[in-house]
Amino acid sequence: MLHIKSLDDGLEIFKALGSEIRIEIIKILMESHGMNMNELAAKLNITNGALTGHIKKLEDCGLVTVSSESAGHGNQKKCYVYLDKILIELDVQEPENIYQTDLKVGHYSDYSVYPTCGLASSDAIIGEVDDIRYFAHSDRYNADILWFTRGYVEYVIPNFIPHGQKIDQITISMEISSEAPGVNDVWPSDISFFINSKKIAVWTSPGDFGNVKGIFTPDWWYPNWNQYGMLKILVINKDGTFIDGLQVSDVSLRDFELDSRSVIRFRLEVEENAEHIGGLTIFGRTFGNYNQDIAVRIKYSPIE
């Protein structure tokens, strides 16, 4: 996978992909799992010389690799797609009156969980799986993924907005999924969200996904375990609570009256009376498909 952290860094790749014939070359190589130059030129109905120019552009930016392999009458050049994923990160400047912070997956302030459960850092499992005691272990601060069947974890959101300001909107984005024994794409789970012990929303996760490896999931991670989740964006403001832009409840910031002095506690829970008790998995920066922890943005304005 190639991670492009600025548009300038990706300029050569964008140029290479700005050609219909080079896009077609990549598609053919992906479908055939590699092809020699003569076969590829014939399939595209172009000369070997023209193909060489296109392959060089793709090779120079790392999209395609070319190797010499033995054939019946000597060596032949065979082309392969080298990159399977490209992630482009846009550096968008934050507007004024926005405070932004990240919550590490393992930095919860309170918990009550039931097996199946566990935690892991980017390097290894923390303690033993299905042993609740390790949720209190000091190594949990390094956790980048956690999972449990029922219960909750709660985080204290740092509140460092300027003095004399009130909170107008809280946006929380996180990669989450259900928690099934092994993996199961159809494993619904009702996940509830709370601010300061007040339920603000419920979202039903459709499953626990493991059909392909997560983009950022470490190579050592077990292939039959949770690989990635879904990125959910939770917003609460004066008008209500929204998930992915759709209003899901009438609970609003008017119910909390938060300002620069307020403690903000955020809880994710699979309640014992939920219709679908399918567990919860939270993915951090080094797991899943999104290179982020639990991201929080707080919009504020002066108290009138």
Side-chain angles (χ1 to χ4, degrees), residues 52-120:
T52 298
H54 290 299
I55 290 295
K56 187 176 188 310
K57 288 184 180 294
L58 294 171
E59 190 178 19
D60 287 346
C61 64
L63 285 168
V64 165
T65 184
V66 180
S67 62
S68 295
E69 300 183 2
S70 298
H73 301 285
N75 291 338
Q76 63 178 7
K77 289 186 176 181
K78 196 166 184 179
C79 306
Y80 300 91
V81 174
Y82 184 69
L83 291 174
D84 60 343
K85 297 182 181 74
I86 301 174
L87 177 67
I88 302 171
E89 185 174 315
L90 300 180
D91 184 17
V92 181
Q93 296 297 315
E94 289 295 333
E96 294 183 1
N97 298 335
I98 294 288
Y99 170 71
Q100 182 167 309
T101 188
D102 292 324
L103 303 173
K104 293 285 292 180
V105 168
H107 287 199
Y108 46 84
S109 57
D110 193 14
Y111 72 94
S112 176
V113 300
Y114 295 84
T116 54
C117 63
L119 313 96

Side-chain angles (χ1 to χ4, degrees), residues 37 177 232:
M37 296 280 281
S177 75
K232 308 310 294 182

Side-chain angles (χ1 to χ4, degrees), residues 195-256:
I195 293 288
N196 291 354
S197 300
K198 185 177 183 64
K199 186 190 294 188
I200 62 172
V202 179
W203 172 68
T204 301
S205 168
D208 181 5
F209 309 109
N211 56 323
V212 296
K213 182 178 176 295
I215 294 174
F216 295 100
T217 299
D219 291 337
W220 66 265
W221 187 248
Y222 306 101
N224 59 334
W225 285 15
N226 328 51
Q227 293 295 320
Y228 62 93
M230 301 177 70
L231 187 68
K232 308 310 294 182
I233 300 176
L234 177 71
V235 174
I236 181 169
N237 55 32
K238 65 181 179 62
D239 298 317
T241 302
F242 304 79
I243 294 179
D244 297 340
L246 299 176
Q247 186 165 2
V248 292
S249 86
D250 293 327
V251 181
S252 74
L253 282 183
R254 301 179 192 274
D255 298 304
F256 300 94

Side-chain angles (χ1 to χ4, degrees), residues 167-218:
I167 295 177
D168 298 321
Q169 180 168 290
I170 301 174
T171 301
I172 303 173
S173 68
M174 61 221 135
E175 184 176 357
I176 56 178
S177 75
S178 308
E179 157 54 22
V183 293
N184 191 331
D185 287 355
V186 183
W187 192 264
S189 185
D190 297 332
I191 300 171
S192 298
F193 306 102
F194 295 78
I195 293 288
N196 291 354
S197 300
K198 185 177 183 64
K199 186 190 294 188
I200 62 172
V202 179
W203 172 68
T204 301
S205 168
D208 181 5
F209 309 109
N211 56 323
V212 296
K213 182 178 176 295
I215 294 174
F216 295 100
T217 299

